[in-house]
């Protein structure tokens, strides 16, 4: 093999910095002459492997990474050990509930529960529960924060308990911002130090996060990606993440963005191009001279949206723009010198002329990109900003006469939301400048439009005010409503009365306009199927227009006193944005605003228990000990015949499987909660109940837009119980199958589980008894979460899907998945038993990538595996004693 290194050297190099000697991994010595051909992301994986592995294991990992250069692909596995874990409150709550339940299980087995602690630093950001209730008025941000803490007191006390008793867990409270913004502004070091083998080392900052948009930190050269909460638990408790050495797609950027084109436009083009290419879990790395024209803020926008273009990473290597970002957000000069010195010394510094080996390469000319939006149902559906009307016209909606006076497609929500497009100050400054011009021309948002501005960082208030733009934003209805995910995660609050009434009457089909990252039907609000993603200034423009069908390239945004005001009259220039940025930004803003938010007395006053085991309350509708947190769950592998519990089509998202939005007061889930004493008019959202398995089991597949192909016309969250022929709630049907000793599976189309990383999308399926999911393809994180819950993901052969299978009521699926024969990507025999007695083979492959995943399936999932390991250690200690 021409790329193999005959005698790789693993002796650490010595780097002097600040009068001290530091050990560093010598990547050039390990790689030899082939070093420059490796993508930066693979150099970082190699550094991680050399630092953590020893002996033949280390040499095999290095040789496998070099062997990747032969074809740009590899079947070899590699271990990755991050230095830290990042979570948000709606993924951390179920994960920490699992930890609390595991402590109980250990205590009941005679093991000291205090021995179970994370082995890595864990940062939790409380950012996913802020809802937009107050808006477009002074004090809206304070009111919304107070509502959030009032509604979520029980959960937040639990988080404070976890931070108090679990080593290494730190909570960033409500109001401190969105987790990925906090990561960029506060947590990421890019290069850090660690003590190892009696020496001080300089090492790259590498991390994992329980949110699919974790790659945002790739924008400043930190290797990290999103995982499910279950995979994060394995890492927290000392197990490495095992991954197949990834294919790496290189995106070659040339040119420079044109006037009026922003990072959002670039991100949407990248999303469309990479989805078109067919990216599904690969690492993506950006290279070429065009990279040098982008700020770190621009890069972070593109990196953030990696899950939308199907990638694990969206990586930009460190250069001068990275250092300028670190300086602008208040990092010390010593820290900046450390980053520069280490990255240049180790060969991890960005070279715009370098052309490493990639699995495949795409070309994007930045100068050719225009102003774009995406929608109305998927982030990869790219159109020009002037084509929203054409896209909506294809839906052929026919409004019913009602006298409501609203357009056929009114703008229901105009939300500047999400870490994606509110973290980069340039995007908020651009929005503020458009608001200033609109304010000067006396434009006002129509009464039916609900507006909001929810920045990712509390520092935004300072720099927008210093630029003189905050008052202009407030004047046109875009005052700050708080610092959290809000509309992007589905916490948009109620729609305005005119929109709600018009939709109920069939007079309108309303549209959400947002600067978020996802626009799946029902995601931002259960009553909105249509959404367009766009830059913050365009959000304001469409909010002012009030009509999502308007062609803002040709039609006026508004006519004020007979004067037509066009978008071109409002858009800021790059020079205006740069000048106001220079005036507005002060590095000390970021740390100061974060510290003030951390000291919020509403948070500090919450009292939490301090016992080693969490005191569960059987009457709670928020927190319940989950039944799957036990060592004897058992494997679901084996040979069995199963009924399909559901059959669904393409693009089923984790929002379909386990919603995060508001709990409908007329739903069966609401009935369940009300029967246990909750107020039907104050049920909060589904995400707030992720600590209660009984609620989340009932919430599984609760989506108006999910179509169950087993039978047409069924109510929300219902299915057909085949033996009886009855249509009933999914959890009731699942219980009947379980009581009868009958197995169930699920059948799906392409991209099953796309969207958010939420582990409850897998936990809900496990509680429903689903043993396997047969899908045309899986999104990466959900596939991992299924395995983490002991559910076997089976990838159907090309051309096989729910439509070609044509499953009818009475058909059964036989799966032959012997635990001892299962191996990564092996063929699994599946047979379709027709109701009339015919048997048809269904070609399928285990969507299992590593041997560790095989072991997890054999153990029954992540939680039994962790418990079994801890119990084995305890038994060995007893035997030794």
């Amino acid at each position: 093999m021409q790329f193999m290194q005959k005698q790789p050297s693993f002796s650490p190099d010595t780097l002097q910095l600040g009068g001290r000697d530091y050990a560093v991994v010598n990547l050039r010595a390990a790689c030899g002459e082939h070093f420059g051909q490796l993508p930066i992301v693979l150099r970082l994986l190699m550094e991680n492997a050399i630092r953590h592995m020893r002996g033949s294991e280390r040499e095999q990992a290095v040789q496998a990474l070099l062997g990747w250069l032969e074809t740009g692909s590899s079947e070899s596995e590699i271990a990755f050990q991050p230095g830290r874990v990042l979570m948000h409150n709606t993924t951390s709550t179920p994960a920490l509930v699992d930890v609390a339940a595991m402590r109980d299980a250990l205590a009941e087995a005679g093991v000291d529960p205090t021995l179970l602690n994370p082995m890595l630093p864990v940062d939790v950001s409380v950012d996913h529960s802020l809802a937009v209730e107050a808006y477009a008025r002074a004090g809206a941000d304070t009111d919304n924060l107070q509502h959030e803490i009032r509604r979520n007191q029980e959960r937040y006390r639990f988080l404070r308990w976890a931070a108090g008793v679990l080593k290494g867990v730190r909570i960033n409270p409500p109001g401190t911002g969105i987790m990925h913004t906090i990561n960029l502004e506060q947590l990421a070091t890019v290069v850090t130090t660690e003590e190892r083998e009696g020496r001080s080392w300089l090492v790259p900052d590498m991390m994992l996060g329980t949110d699919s948009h974790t790659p945002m930190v790739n924008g400043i050269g930190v290797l990290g990606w999103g995982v499910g909460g279950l995979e994060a638990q394995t890492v927290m408790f000392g197990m490495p993440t095992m991954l197949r050495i990834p294919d790496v797609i290189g995106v070659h950027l040339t040119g420079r963005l044109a006037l009026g084109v922003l990072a959002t436009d670039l991100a949407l083009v990248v999303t469309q191009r990479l989805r078109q290419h067919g990216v599904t879990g690969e690492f993506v790395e950006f290279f070429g001279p065009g990279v040098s024209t982008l700020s770190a803020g621009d890069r972070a926008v593109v990196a953030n949206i990696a899950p939308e273009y199907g990638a694990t990473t969206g990586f930009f290597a460190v250069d001068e723009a990275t250092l300028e970002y670190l300086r602008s957000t208040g990092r010390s000069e010593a820290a900046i010198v450390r980053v520069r010195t280490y990255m240049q010394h180790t060969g991890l510094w960005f070279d715009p002329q370098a052309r490493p080996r990639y699995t495949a390469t795409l070309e994007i000319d930045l100068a050719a990109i225009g102003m774009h939006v995406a929608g109305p149902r998927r982030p990869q559906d790219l159109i020009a900003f002037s084509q929203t009307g054409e896209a909506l016209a294809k839906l052929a909606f026919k409004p019913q006469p009602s006298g409501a006076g609203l357009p056929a497609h009114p703008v229901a929500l105009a939300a500047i939301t999400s870490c994606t497009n509110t973290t980069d100050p340039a995007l908020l400054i651009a929005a503020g400048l458009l608001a200033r011009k609109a304010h000067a021309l006396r434009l006002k948002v129509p009464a039916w439009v609900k507006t909001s501005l929810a920045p990712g960082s509390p520092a935004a208030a300072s720099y927008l005010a210093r630029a003189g733009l905050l008052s202009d934003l407030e004047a046109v209805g875009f005052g700050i409503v708080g610092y959290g995910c809000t509309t992007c995660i589905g916490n948009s609050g109620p729609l305005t009365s005119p929109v709600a009434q018009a939709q109920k009457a069939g007079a309108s089909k309303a549209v959400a306009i947002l600067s978020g990252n996802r626009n799946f039907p029902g995601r931002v609000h259960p009553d909105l199927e249509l959404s367009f993603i766009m830059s913050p200034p365009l959000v304001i423009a469409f909010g002012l227009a009030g009509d999502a069908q308007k062609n803002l390239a040709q039609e006026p945004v508004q006519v004020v006193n007979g004067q037509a005001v066009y978008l071109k009259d409002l858009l800021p220039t790059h020079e205006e944005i740069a000048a106001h940025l220079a005036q507005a930004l002060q590095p000390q803003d970021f740390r100061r605003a974060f510290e003030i938010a951390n000291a919020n007395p509403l948070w500090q006053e919450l009292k939490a228990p301090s016992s080693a085991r969490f005191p569960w309350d059987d009457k709670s509708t928020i927190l319940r000990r989950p039944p799957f947190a036990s060592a004897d769950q058992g494997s679901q592998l084996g040979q069995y015949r199963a009924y399909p519990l559901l059959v669904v089509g393409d693009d089923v998202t984790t929002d379909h499987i386990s919603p995060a939005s508001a709990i409908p007061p007329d739903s069966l889930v609401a009935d369940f909660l009300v029967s246990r004493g909750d107020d039907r008019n104050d049920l909060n959202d589904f995400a707030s109940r992720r600590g209660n398995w009984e609620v989340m089991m009932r919430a599984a597949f609760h989506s108006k837009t999910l179509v169950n192909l087993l039978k047409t016309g069924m109510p929300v969250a219902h299915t057909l119980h085949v033996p009886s022929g009855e249509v009933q709630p999914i959890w009731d049907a699942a219980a009947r199958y379980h009581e009868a000793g009958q197995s169930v599976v699920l059948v799906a189309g392409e991209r099953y589980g796309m969207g958010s990383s939420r582990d409850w999308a897998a936990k809900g399926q496990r509680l429903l008894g689903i043993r396997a999911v047969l899908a045309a393809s899986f999104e990466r994180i959900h596939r991992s979460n299924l395995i983490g819950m002991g559910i076997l993901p089976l990838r159907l052969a090309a051309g096989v899907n729910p439509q070609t299978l044509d499953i009818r009521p009475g058909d059964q699926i036989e799966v032959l998945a012997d635990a001892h024969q299962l191996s990564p990507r092996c063929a699994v025999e599946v047979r379709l038993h027709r109701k009339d007695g015919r048997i048809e083979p269904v070609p399928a492959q285990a969507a299992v990538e590593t041997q560790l995943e095989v072991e997890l399936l054999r153990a029954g999932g992540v939680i039994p595996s962790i418990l079994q390991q801890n119990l084995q250690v305890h038994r060995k200690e007893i035997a030794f004693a």
Side-chain angles (χ1 to χ4, degrees), residues 735-879:
R736 290 181 71 176
Y737 283 124
H738 177 73
E739 290 164 5
Q742 297 164 328
S743 296
V744 293
V745 296
L746 184 144
V747 181
E750 297 282 359
R751 296 171 293 278
Y752 183 69
M754 64 190 298
S756 298
S757 66
R758 60 195 67 158
D759 53 2
W760 260 108
K763 288 176 175 175
Q765 291 176 80
R766 176 67 188 252
L767 288 172
L768 293 173
I770 292 171
R771 296 183 69 171
V773 175
L774 296 83
S777 67
F778 295 88
E779 289 292 281
R780 176 183 61 86
I781 296 178
H782 186 61
R783 182 201 65 82
S784 172
N785 277 335
L786 289 172
I787 291 169
M789 286 307 298
I791 299 171
L792 177 64
L794 291 171
R795 187 179 292 111
L796 300 170
V800 181
N801 55 54
Q803 287 71 33
T804 61
L805 290 174
D806 191 26
I807 295 172
R808 304 293 180 88
D811 294 347
Q812 289 183 274
I813 295 170
E814 184 180 12
V815 177
L816 291 83
D818 183 86
H820 300 292
Q821 296 180 358
L822 188 70
S823 62
R825 298 176 294 284
C826 70
V828 174
E829 190 174 355
V830 177
R831 301 174 187 139
L832 181 56
H833 292 255
R834 297 292 186 185
K835 184 179 181 181
D836 62 11
R838 289 178 295 126
I839 302 176
E840 301 171 10
V842 179
Q845 179 190 58
V848 179
E849 291 295 319
T850 68
Q851 189 59 35
L852 176 60
E853 291 183 341
V854 171
E855 296 304 324
L856 289 175
L857 285 166
R858 289 172 179 166
V862 164
I863 295 171
S865 179
I866 293 171
L867 287 171
Q868 288 163 16
Q869 287 187 21
N870 277 271
L871 289 170
Q872 286 170 9
V873 169
H874 176 67
R875 291 178 188 126
K876 287 178 182 177
E877 289 174 349
I878 292 174

Side-chain angles (χ1 to χ4, degrees), residues 72-86:
S73 189
S74 175
E75 295 300 313
S76 297
E77 296 177 22
I78 191 169
F80 175 73
Q81 294 183 281
R84 56 191 179 92
V85 173
L86 181 63

